[in-house]
Amino acid sequence: MTGARGGVMLSPDGEIETLVPGAAAAERLRQACPMVCHLPAAAQRLQATWFPGHDLLDLHAFVRPARFCAPTPRGLARALGLPLPTSPEDEARTLVHAAMVLLDELTRLPDKAKREAHAIALVMARGGWPWGRGVLALLDPGDGGGAAGAPRALAVWKDLPEVSEHAPEPPPGNIPVDPAEARAKLAALLGQGAEARPQQADYASALCVAFQPRATPDWPTLVLAEAGTGVGKTLGYIAPASLWAERNEGTVWISTYTRNLQRQLDSELDRLYPDPAEKRRKVVIRKGRENYLCLLNYEEAVGRLGANPQEAVALGLMARWIKATRDGDMVGGDFPGWMVDILGRERSLALADRRGECVFSSCDHYDRCFIERAVRRARRARLVVANHALVLIQAALGGIDDDSRPTRYVLDEGHHVFDAADSAFSAHLSGFEGAELRRWLLGAEEGHRSRARGLRRRVDGLYDPAGPLAADLEEALNGARALPGPGWAQRLAGGTGRGAIERFLGTARTQVLARAPASESAHGLETDLRPPLPELLDDARAVVAALTDLVVPLKAFVRALVKRLDEDADELDTPMRARIESVARSIERRALGPAQVWRDMAASIAEDPPADFVDWLAVERSEGREVDIGMHRHWIDPTRPFAATLATRAHGLVVTSATLRDGSGDGEADWLSAEARAGAPHLGTPAIRASVPSPFDYPATTRVLVITDVKRDDLDQVSAAYRELFRAAGGGGLGLFTAIGRLRAVHGRIAPALDALGLPLLAQHVDAMDISTLIEIFRAEEDACLLGTDAVRDGVDVPGRSLRLIVFDRVPWPRPDILHKARRKAMGGSLYDDRIARLRLKQAFGRLVRRAGDRGVFVMLDSRLPSRLGGAFPEGVVIERVGLAAAIAIVAQSVGPMDVSPLQAE
């Protein structure tokens, strides 16, 4: 077992050996090949690049595929029903007991499942799987069975059910939902004997207006509904949404910003559809295709196994998961996040269609495809749970994978609509984006290893190779060679850009380095686009010409391809028609859309800046290394395109959150700012406002402390404050930082001390784990602490004592970059800054109390927190400005491990 100070190893004869991080520990581990839990994290903590080991997570993924456990000894113990360990020595023993339980489960598999598992384990053992010999001994069928070759054993796609096709669904009806009906439905969902929650019933009732027939063409009924934490808004909107969907035989799309809320929704919908078969018919979790495993990518990886035998372990574990997964979702579904850590991204997430290279119905796996299954099921579902990015792109493009257009939406986490729209409707003429488009069009180029298929392969069989379409395609692909090619970043850094777009980016880099302040900084640099260098204007004209050479023939190719749907209607079967439509849509989205916008951006450089946009040049850096260079364009108000696309096409739209409104003290101004961030001013009808307060007694259950005697720029003082506050709380602390560098510095200073106290410290950007995995561990381990950037606050939903203290290092002011400068000027100046900071504080504070009985303390280490930001906290909660020693005492008294009394004001 490992921690911040080192580790302990349990020998076969029961002896405990202490391991000190360094070369000696690494060598000892290489000799021992021990049992571990999360080998990459253990290696990192012991300063070992790698060592052979029996990772219990490997074994868990093989025996219990598509089932999650927290990737710690306590998490394994909890999942397997074992006693929870209380010391590092106990944790080491727990690994042995966990292995015994998992191996025993293998012996109790049904005969068919045992033979399938044996065949896969044999492939993995030949690839060097440490568990291979033991697993094979337990699974040996005894008759020579299960000894299939690798391709046959791993060809699990053959066992997946085919996706059925159905006739198009008729449009939904317009039968309204009455508030009394919504209340009754909510009561039924809660069940008899449920705690009375009048706020939840009021909330469900208020949303019903969005499920009335639309009264005005082109304008939806928009409901802005703020529901305080604890109201139960999830079931509150499921009640009227499900009623409308069932009686009108239509679909309501429920959208979230975070994966965590999607998982919560999935769980809550068990109440609506307790029968799993009915739920599967009526509820779909819908994401972009980059989230789902691509069976063709997996098959191609299996085909390369002969040349890459070391991939056998990862492919075997992926095969086990593919057989067991509910829907093939690798990001937030039933694919444990820690599998990415132990297998590596190339062997896991990279098997998804992350670059939009699907060949659609020409793929042998089309009728078993996970994403195709989700698309088809979503057409017939009553409730589709999606994310804001997918919803906005679908609205903007008239559908991603089909042309369906729902009429009713619920956008939960509505405080992020502005940010989601900003991401969806921005444009980036950059080296990275250009290289991605080139790869999408040309595929793998000579001398470069890649799975990229290229457009020629994706459209194979859709046109006559000797006809005019072939000439258009060839011309377009020749035009794609003007995009940044392999090695573009090195050429730009050396001033040797090749082609029109690389030369443009090289000149852009020169302008940034010449004008940006602190040009030697390890962080990203940016500068205003205008006035441009004279050379940039010349290069921009060449970019316009180069992109025109790509866009014109590619447009002609798409037009001619779509024309086949009419001209060859009597010859095209349904799969071919679907493939033509899908290919045309993908070209529009992935190639023509971006290329045309980039051309417009380059053409506009010589003109006055467009009124609704802000343009700038940037050099992106990571760890001091340049990773991208480009011209960026954002809407100053991204809710304009949001309103023009999604909002105007919807009949009813609910935007809801616990933190929609600001806390400026001016109630009307707070509503107006909420409306602005939801795009309401750009609609033809006024938004309907609804607000339901939280049932929690925040003054009695929470404290807000501002530390007055810690210098925020002295990292030794800041670190000491984090250490002592976490110690006083006995763990359960979330540390939020405004900069990654500060987080890492604090972690290095406090991790050993907390480890000595038995308080595990987890850290984003430090631990060799995905942030979702870190949050799962934090949730499961009551006395763990977690350090993360300010953005982590949205992904943390941890009820109970696992989160009882939040410590913020600085006031979360918005970053003063060029984009913010433009928005600040247009949206209220310093009041805009205050609004953003207040909302961030409000969202962070909202993590503390998630259910009745929770208590917590919020600590701000920045003494310069202005009193005007106090509206971020609930009414009645007093901001107490105290010294660090007093704060430590308050934390210990309020939420420390020995305190069971109610919080009392000092």
Side-chain angles (χ1 to χ4, degrees):
M1 288 312 306
T2 60
R5 296 175 300 156
V8 298
M9 186 164 64
L10 178 69
S11 69
D13 58 5
E15 294 294 321
I16 295 294
E17 180 180 348
T18 300
L19 299 173
V20 178
E27 181 59 29
R28 179 73 181 91
L29 292 168
R30 279 191 285 270
Q31 296 172 0
C33 192
M35 287 187 188
V36 296
C37 183
H38 204 297
L39 194 151
Q44 180 192 50
R45 290 170 186 151
L46 292 172
Q47 299 175 15
T49 54
W50 179 85
F51 60 87
H54 292 74
D55 197 334
L56 265 293
L57 296 182
D58 273 6
L59 187 60
H60 186 280
F62 185 87
V63 178
R64 294 185 165 196
R67 294 170 66 179
F68 182 83
C69 74
T72 63
R74 290 172 62 87
L76 282 166
R78 199 174 282 112
L80 299 173
L82 297 172
L84 297 182
T86 58
S87 69
E89 294 76 13
D90 279 351
E91 290 181 342
R93 296 184 184 95
T94 294
L95 298 187
V96 178
H97 297 151
M100 294 171 63
V101 170
L102 289 169
L103 291 171
D104 181 64
E105 283 190 20
L106 281 179
T107 66
R108 292 184 277 111
L109 289 175
D111 288 344
K112 183 175 183 294
K114 190 179 292 186
R115 294 171 71 88
E116 292 173 347
H118 180 273
I120 293 174
L122 187 60
V123 176
M124 296 171 65
R126 290 169 179 165
W129 190 35
W131 293 104
R133 181 182 299 179
V135 167
L136 287 173
L138 293 172
L139 293 174
D140 187 1
D143 57 1
R152 181 177 164 194
L154 299 179
V156 290
W157 57 82
K158 297 179 180 178
D159 300 324
L160 298 178
E162 291 195 356
V163 186
S164 57
E165 187 60 90
H166 299 275
E169 293 291 304
N174 288 288
I175 303 172
V177 175
D178 183 78
E181 295 173 317
R183 289 174 179 267
K185 183 66 173 180
L186 176 62
L189 290 173
L190 293 171
Q192 292 185 349
E195 174 188 0
R197 301 171 88 176
Q199 296 99 330
Q200 189 179 31
D202 292 343
Y203 173 76
S205 177
L207 303 187
C208 288
V209 65
F211 298 98
Q212 306 296 310
R214 186 166 68 169
T216 307
D218 300 326
W219 303 119
T221 300
L222 172 62
V223 177
L224 293 180
E226 184 174 80
T229 303
V231 165
K233 63 177 168 31
T234 303
L235 285 179
Y237 57 65
I238 285 174
S242 61
L243 276 175
W244 184 90
E246 291 290 352
R247 66 178 43 169
N248 289 291
E249 298 183 331
T251 305
V252 177
W253 278 56
I254 301 173
S255 179
T256 76
Y257 189 73
T258 62
R259 294 184 305 223
N260 180 68
L261 184 53
Q262 283 190 327
R263 287 194 292 267
Q264 180 184 327
L265 266 166
D266 189 20
S267 177
E268 293 278 24
L269 286 166
D270 289 342
R271 293 175 181 258
L272 181 63
Y273 300 116
D275 177 10
E278 183 182 18
K279 181 183 177 185
R280 184 163 182 79
R281 289 195 310 273
K282 295 188 175 182
V283 175
V284 174
I285 308 298
R286 182 75 169 82
K287 299 180 180 180
R289 61 176 57 246
E290 68 276 5
N291 292 274
Y292 296 86
L293 179 115
C294 170
L295 292 173
L296 181 57
N297 282 347
Y298 170 76
E299 182 189 9
E300 291 179 348
V302 170
R304 294 191 297 271
L305 186 56
N308 302 282
Q310 71 277 9
E311 305 294 318
V313 176
L315 288 172
L317 293 180
M318 291 301 301
R320 294 286 289 164
W321 176 76
I322 292 168
K323 287 275 289 185
T325 180
R326 181 179 74 169
D327 53 15
D329 179 4
M330 302 179 71
V331 185
D334 55 17
F335 188 78
W338 43 257
M339 283 191 70
V340 180
D341 305 330
I342 63 175
L343 300 183
R345 296 184 71 87
E346 283 300 311
R347 300 181 180 100
S348 56
L349 294 182
L351 295 176
D353 178 20
R354 304 189 72 78
R355 291 181 172 141
E357 296 175 340
C358 181
V359 295
F360 303 104
S361 61
S362 68
C363 178
D364 292 339
H365 306 293
Y366 185 66
D367 289 328
R368 292 185 173 90
C369 173
F370 289 119
I371 181 61
E372 187 62 24
R373 182 181 304 166
V375 170
R376 296 186 196 181
R377 287 179 54 227
R379 295 172 187 151
R380 297 165 54 82
R382 292 295 170 251
L383 298 176
V384 174
V385 179
N387 56 66
H388 293 350
L390 178 70
V391 166
L392 291 177
I393 293 171
Q394 182 175 9
L397 302 178
I400 296 177
D401 299 293
D402 59 21
D403 57 359
S404 60
R405 293 177 184 265
T407 63
R408 295 297 191 284
Y409 294 89
V410 176
L411 303 185
D412 201 347
E413 298 180 303
H415 57 279
H416 280 301
V417 164
F418 188 96
D419 298 325
D422 187 34
S423 177
F425 298 111
S426 58
H428 312 278
L429 172 51
S430 74
F432 178 82
E433 294 291 336
E436 284 290 292
L437 178 54
R438 178 178 175 131
R439 187 181 295 111
W440 190 85
L441 289 166
L442 297 179
E445 297 186 61
E446 186 177 352
H448 295 273
R449 293 180 57 190
S450 172
R451 283 202 306 265
R453 300 186 181 96
L455 183 59
R456 194 193 308 278
R457 179 178 170 186
R458 291 195 296 278
V459 299
D460 186 40
L462 296 183
Y463 65 98
D464 179 1
L469 268 76
D472 288 333
L473 178 61
E474 196 61 35
E475 187 179 351
L477 296 182
N478 284 334
R481 299 187 184 279
L483 296 165
W488 64 268
Q490 292 80 5
R491 287 194 294 276
L492 294 190
T496 58
R498 199 164 58 197
I501 296 177
E502 287 190 19
R503 285 193 294 271
F504 169 82
L505 295 173
T507 306
R509 178 177 181 271
T510 298
Q511 181 166 321
V512 173
L513 296 180
R515 299 180 183 178
S519 62
E520 299 302 317
S521 168
H523 305 291
L525 305 173
E526 62 179 25
T527 190
D528 291 314
L529 172 64
R530 299 174 180 86
L533 292 172
E535 299 88 344
L536 193 68
L537 287 174
D538 295 336
D539 291 339
R541 284 189 281 270
V543 168
V544 172
L547 289 173
T548 299
D549 289 343
L550 167 63
V551 167
V552 170
L554 195 56
K555 267 188 172 181
F557 178 79
V558 172
R559 279 196 303 268
L561 200 60
V562 173
K563 197 174 180 180
R564 285 198 63 199
L565 296 174
D566 178 35
E567 294 180 345
D568 301 336
D570 57 337
E571 300 175 8
L572 298 175
D573 58 18
T574 298
M576 183 60 78
R577 293 185 65 86
R579 185 182 171 206
I580 289 174
E581 291 172 346
S582 297
V583 165
R585 191 160 43 239
S586 71
I587 294 174
E588 288 282 357
R589 177 195 173 197
R590 302 286 307 205
L592 283 173
Q596 290 175 120
V597 172
W598 296 344
R599 185 177 60 178
D600 293 344
M601 289 166 62
S604 71
I605 292 177
E607 304 168 356
D608 291 333
D612 291 329
F613 299 96
V614 56
D615 297 337
W616 73 95
L617 302 176
V619 174
E620 301 297 331
R621 289 176 174 172
S622 176
E623 307 290 342
R625 181 175 61 89
E626 292 184 8
V627 294
D628 202 8
I629 300 164
M631 173 184 172
H632 303 270
R633 170 170 287 181
H634 282 241
W635 285 81
I636 293 176
D637 180 1
T639 66
R640 284 184 177 275
F642 165 76
T645 53
L646 181 122
T648 56
R649 292 168 183 169
H651 289 203
L653 178 62
V654 174
V655 177
T656 186
S657 170
T659 54
L660 275 185
R661 292 180 295 166
D662 186 16
S664 70
D666 183 334
E668 179 62 19
D670 291 346
W671 269 119
L672 290 174
S673 71
E675 290 176 351
R677 292 184 67 81
H682 309 305
L683 301 177
T685 55
I688 296 168
R689 303 169 176 176
S691 176
V692 181
S694 169
F696 297 143
D697 186 352
Y698 287 109
T701 57
T702 63
R703 302 283 285 271
V704 175
L705 311 177
V706 177
I707 309 303
T708 58
D709 56 359
V710 170
K711 294 181 179 179
R712 67 174 196 166
D713 294 324
D714 186 328
L715 285 175
D716 287 333
Q717 291 192 31
V718 171
S719 299
Y722 270 103
R723 182 190 66 232
E724 293 306 310
L725 290 166
F726 285 169
R727 180 192 60 78
L734 172 64
L736 296 176
F737 291 81
T738 53
I740 296 173
R742 289 171 62 84
L743 181 157
R744 288 173 170 162
V746 169
H747 176 272
R749 287 167 167 84
I750 71 175
L754 293 180
D755 186 58
L757 294 168
L759 302 178
L761 181 64
L762 310 166
Q764 182 190 21
H765 302 296
V766 175
D767 287 312
M769 298 184 190
D770 176 80
I771 183 58
S772 63
T773 301
L774 293 173
I775 292 172
E776 291 293 348
I777 298 174
F778 181 57
R779 182 182 291 112
E781 305 294 332
E782 186 173 285
D783 295 333
C785 297
L786 172 63
L787 305 182
T789 57
D790 177 33
V792 168
R793 68 184 184 275
D794 286 313
V796 176
D797 183 19
V798 181
R801 279 186 58 79
S802 290
L803 176 51
R804 51 191 181 269
L805 170 69
I806 293 177
V807 183
F808 228 131
D809 75 323
R810 286 178 170 179
V811 177
W813 295 113
R815 181 184 173 192
D817 54 22
I818 290 172
L819 177 59
H820 176 72
K821 178 182 177 181
R823 287 178 174 160
R824 187 179 190 270
K825 181 178 180 181
M827 299 180 182
S830 62
L831 296 179
Y832 180 64
D833 293 338
D834 291 351
R835 188 157 59 244
I836 291 175
R838 261 193 304 265
L839 287 172
R840 289 176 177 175
L841 290 169
K842 191 174 185 180
Q843 290 150 22
F845 178 87
R847 305 296 98 192
L848 269 182
V849 178
R850 308 302 293 171
R851 66 186 182 192
D854 285 357
R855 298 180 298 158
V857 179
F858 184 97
V859 179
M860 171 58 71
L861 296 181
D862 189 346
S863 63
R864 289 189 272 185
L865 177 78
S867 58
R868 65 182 183 276
L869 300 188
F873 306 108
E875 186 176 354
V877 175
V878 177
I879 297 178
E880 305 171 64
R881 296 181 181 269
V882 298
L884 178 60
I888 292 168
I890 292 171
V891 169
Q893 174 199 9
S894 302
V895 296
M898 303 304 295
D899 179 61
V900 293
S901 60
L903 284 162
Q904 301 293 328
E906 288 291 305

